[in-house]
Amino acid sequence: MTEKKYAAIVLAAGKGARMDSTVPKQYLELEGKPILYYSLLAFENSMVDEIILVAGKEDIEYCQKEIVEKYGFAKVSKVTAGGKERYHSVFSGLQELKREACVPDYVMIHDGARPLVDEAIILRSAEAVEEFQACVAGMPVKDTIKILDEYLFAVETPKREYVWQMQTPQTFEFSLIYEAYETLIHRENAGEVFHVTDDAMVAELICQKKVKLVEGSYRNIKITTPEDLKLAEVLLHIS
């Protein structure tokens, strides 16, 4: 890898409705610390130079005092407000980085509810992005997948070796993903409707950019349900 500047955008603006809790999932405790703590710690201890934390507007002060300052995350340069949808929150983070005097060469976009991301995943992502400009961590699915029609009948069974579940971080050359998101938001403001669920879709849709898949980890789970939280507690103790 070359000596390039890397930034990470960690997303913590979601509500986590499926957690059956009044507390947003990223702030629930995992072994005595907020889930978000572990996501930030992975990037704090990595080769990433800077972290932008995107939180709900009402949670900015809490994140700054009770997470960033409390745990000494020196690489978190800004806690900024997210938007209505995930892609609005990502663009908010990208805009913060764009305002800087030294804009990063590459950016890693990570869900704060994935606390078990590790150094190996981050390094593999960095190596891939410098070669391919866009990459996503993921893993092959373990189960057979069926494609359904609107009546819930199976109509296709894709080959399992070609089906991967997407994870984060999703890593991009900064200029590429910023242009993609800026165009997406501009077109949305002009009346177009988009249903994008990850950053790779934005690069693919707007820039027609092929996105390289890199090996993540089956440990790199997203905390979505109470069962996920219990699983994370177990995985945290498995080396």
Side-chain angles (χ1 to χ4, degrees):
M1 291 187 295
T2 57
E3 290 297 321
K4 299 290 187 178
K5 181 182 178 183
Y6 278 82
I9 295 172
V10 176
L11 303 170
K15 298 299 182 185
R18 283 176 285 180
M19 280 303 295
D20 204 17
S21 171
T22 56
V23 179
K25 60 187 176 184
Q26 59 272 17
Y27 307 133
L28 291 173
E29 286 196 352
L30 174 60
E31 294 291 289
K33 293 183 175 67
I35 290 170
L36 179 59
Y37 160 87
Y38 297 94
S39 299
L40 291 172
L41 183 65
F43 290 98
E44 179 78 18
N45 292 338
S46 76
M47 37 71 69
V48 164
D49 299 290
E50 175 185 6
I51 303 167
I52 301 292
L53 175 56
V54 183
K57 186 176 180 180
E58 67 280 6
D59 297 326
I60 289 178
E61 184 177 357
Y62 169 83
C63 285
Q64 183 65 45
K65 294 185 180 300
E66 298 300 322
I67 296 181
V68 176
E69 295 177 13
K70 179 177 180 179
Y71 296 108
F73 290 121
K75 289 185 180 180
V76 177
S77 61
K78 179 79 174 182
V79 182
T80 192
K84 180 181 178 182
E85 302 292 343
R86 182 187 185 278
Y87 62 91
H88 297 125
S89 295
V90 173
F91 189 53
S92 178
L94 291 171
Q95 286 178 305
E96 288 296 336
L97 293 170
K98 184 70 171 179
R99 294 187 185 103
E100 297 183 354
C102 183
V103 174
D105 299 287
Y106 302 102
V107 60
M108 297 184 171
I109 304 169
H110 185 68
D111 293 328
R114 287 188 187 271
L116 300 178
V117 64
D118 58 32
E119 181 182 19
I121 298 172
I122 293 171
L123 286 174
R124 284 195 293 270
S125 297
E127 290 173 359
V129 77
E130 293 196 17
E131 182 175 358
F132 300 105
Q133 294 80 52
C135 67
V136 176
M139 291 298 287
V141 299
K142 297 179 180 181
D143 300 317
T144 296
I145 302 297
K146 295 287 186 180
I147 307 300
L148 308 183
D149 63 16
E150 64 269 33
Y151 304 107
L152 302 184
F153 285 99
V155 295
E156 183 183 352
T157 306
K159 290 184 178 181
R160 198 162 52 189
E161 60 265 35
Y162 297 138
V163 181
W164 280 42
Q165 58 189 47
M166 295 300 93
Q167 299 178 348
T168 64
Q170 303 199 356
T171 308
F172 305 89
E173 186 176 82
F174 181 81
S175 58
L176 182 151
I177 199 64
Y178 185 88
E179 178 184 350
Y181 265 97
E182 185 178 48
T183 301
L184 177 79
I185 298 299
H186 176 76
R187 287 169 56 177
E188 181 184 63
N189 291 340
E192 290 190 53
V193 177
F194 294 96
H195 300 285
V196 294
T197 55
D198 73 350
D199 312 295
M201 286 183 69
V202 180
E204 293 160 348
L205 178 66
I206 303 298
C207 300
Q208 290 75 55
K209 178 64 181 176
K210 284 189 175 182
V211 177
K212 180 72 172 180
L213 298 187
V214 298
E215 182 184 356
S217 169
Y218 289 117
R219 290 168 49 90
N220 187 24
I221 64 171
K222 186 175 182 180
I223 308 298
T224 304
T225 67
E227 291 77 14
D228 296 329
L229 187 57
K230 292 178 181 179
L231 176 58
E233 291 173 351
V234 173
L235 292 173
L236 200 59
H237 293 284
I238 300 175
S239 59

